[in-house]
Amino acid sequence: MDRIAIIGCGGSGKTTIARRLGQITGAPVTHLDVVYYDDEWNTLPQDKFAAIQHELVAQPRWVIDGNFASTLLIRLARADTVIFLDLPALTCLWGIAQRRRRHGGGQHDATGVYDRITWQFIRYVWNYRRTMAPRVRSLIAEHAGHADVHRVTSRRAANQLVAELAARATAG
């Protein structure tokens, strides 16, 4: 468990899981939203975003969270552990609301992740399991056969997985 890719819809808990697994493993954590967006929501050019990810995954140990299906293959090719947070839309929307309540929008102090909620984003979250999740599952099946893959469908299951991985990390 040296190279962990965490994938999932907005509000699914990627950042929280990444932070917890980073603490457990001691691996550096990268939140791809921080890499891709600046504080005004300008985006990196796709080639630069991909190049940064190639550099990140070349490292011996890492935890990287983010969906970004267009560059998912970069992470899947090197990950030894893949966690797909495939939670229901209402759970993710609740997660977004809780994050907004906790941080009041703007930048989250602990992660550097910026919180931006638009109607387009809410539609994306609502439709994620129907539109994006099948693509992500297909990419994982096709490109992560070498990895320990976990598909998580509830917050309870996510917490149980983190506890299991923590036990493995301390035992190994």
Side-chain angles (χ1 to χ4, degrees):
M1 199 169 66
D2 290 319
R3 297 176 307 280
I4 304 169
I6 303 170
I7 309 153
C9 184
S12 63
K14 295 182 303 292
T15 298
T16 300
I17 300 286
R19 188 175 44 246
R20 288 171 62 191
L21 290 175
Q23 290 169 345
I24 290 164
T25 64
V29 176
T30 300
H31 308 288
L32 289 181
D33 281 348
V34 175
V35 175
Y36 190 64
Y37 298 105
D38 67 15
D39 60 352
E40 295 178 5
W41 285 93
N42 298 307
T43 60
L44 270 181
Q46 195 66 25
D47 59 334
K48 286 186 180 181
F49 186 51
I52 289 169
Q53 286 182 69
H54 281 291
E55 290 174 19
L56 290 169
V57 302
Q59 301 304 311
R61 303 185 74 234
W62 45 264
V63 177
I64 299 175
D65 85 62
N67 206 50
F68 298 99
S70 63
T71 58
L72 182 55
L73 297 182
I74 296 168
R75 289 166 273 142
L76 292 178
R78 290 273 301 144
D80 59 30
T81 305
V82 176
I83 300 171
F84 177 34
L85 301 173
D86 191 10
L87 278 59
L90 287 176
T91 302
C92 294
L93 290 170
W94 179 250
I96 291 165
Q98 293 298 99
R99 179 174 65 204
R100 175 58 74 126
R101 187 179 62 77
R102 250 188 332 270
H103 300 288
Q107 185 174 4
H108 304 186
D109 296 333
T111 63
V113 174
Y114 288 90
D115 191 18
R116 181 178 188 214
I117 299 173
T118 64
W119 285 113
Q120 180 181 352
F121 179 62
I122 291 170
R123 277 192 305 274
Y124 170 79
V125 170
W126 186 255
N127 293 312
Y128 182 89
R129 280 186 121 182
R130 186 174 47 78
T131 60
M132 183 58 75
R135 180 176 175 203
V136 170
R137 284 192 300 271
S138 176
L139 289 169
I140 290 170
E142 191 174 337
H143 299 283
H146 61 280
D148 187 14
V149 176
H150 305 272
R151 180 175 166 254
V152 177
T153 58
S154 71
R155 294 231 188 269
R156 175 179 286 145
N159 289 328
Q160 289 172 339
L161 176 62
V162 171
E164 289 170 20
L165 295 176
R168 274 193 229 169
T170 56

